[in-house]
Amino acid sequence: MTTAHHLRLIDGMRTEDFPSERSLSGSGISGPGYHTALLLGEDDHADGDEADRLELRAQRLAEHDALLTLLTLRWGEPQLVSLWSAQERMMAGEVIDEPWAEPVASCEHLQLWRADDRWIAIVLYLEEDGPGCELGVVVTVIDPP
């Protein structure tokens, strides 16, 4: 997928109504008050050698940076939101509501904008002990944790 495709997907998620119940929606999950999508996930290169996986990670990081640049031109500088305190609360037993539970469990931080009445978060899922890298988006009316 290209950056232009990601922007069209995000624009569609911003204008699409939210379902009344949690359901699969294209490349993600939607529910009451939110849509999520995996923009760039694991693919055939994930089974390749380490060099292939490192190259894929570099490509994904470049796509992440390009997307952030274009969204910043649209909505201004994003908030860099640390998820550390929410992770601590989750580990202590607090339930983090969707759509934030997955990013809180999997990421150190995310980039966040407020456009109209919705939050738009770009989430970079980095493998801790390897070169894996996925890029996701959350569009929601639910405040971040």
Side-chain angles (χ1 to χ4, degrees):
M1 281 194 243
T2 65
T3 304
H5 178 81
H6 299 320
L7 291 173
R8 283 191 301 276
L9 179 65
I10 291 168
D11 288 341
M13 291 169 68
R14 288 183 54 230
T15 58
E16 187 177 340
D17 290 335
F18 299 116
S20 59
E21 294 182 17
R22 183 180 161 104
S23 62
L24 293 177
S25 62
S27 61
I29 297 172
S30 292
Y34 68 90
H35 300 295
T36 67
L38 190 59
L39 301 175
L40 296 170
E42 291 298 326
D43 63 10
D44 296 336
H45 292 96
D47 294 332
D49 65 20
E50 191 72 9
D52 289 342
R53 293 185 76 208
L54 288 171
E55 181 180 334
L56 180 60
R57 181 184 179 120
Q59 291 170 352
R60 298 245 167 105
L61 291 172
E63 182 69 25
H64 169 261
D65 292 347
L67 185 58
L68 291 181
T69 297
L70 292 173
L71 294 177
T72 297
L73 289 172
R74 283 183 173 190
W75 299 314
E77 288 296 320
Q79 298 175 44
L80 178 62
V81 177
S82 171
L83 299 175
W84 179 83
S85 64
Q87 289 168 343
E88 290 291 314
R89 296 191 328 259
M90 182 182 265
M91 289 185 351
E94 181 178 329
V95 174
I96 303 294
D97 291 329
E98 293 296 345
W100 301 110
E102 178 69 24
V104 167
S106 306
C107 301
E108 292 181 17
H109 64 274
L110 52 81
Q111 306 284 337
L112 185 68
W113 290 265
R114 181 77 171 179
D116 301 318
D117 65 337
R118 297 186 181 197
W119 294 105
I120 298 94
I122 299 298
V123 185
L124 189 61
Y125 299 98
L126 298 174
E127 189 176 283
E128 283 187 37
D129 298 327
C133 180
E134 296 180 336
L135 181 62
V137 61
V138 174
V139 175
T140 184
V141 294
I142 302 166
D143 290 337

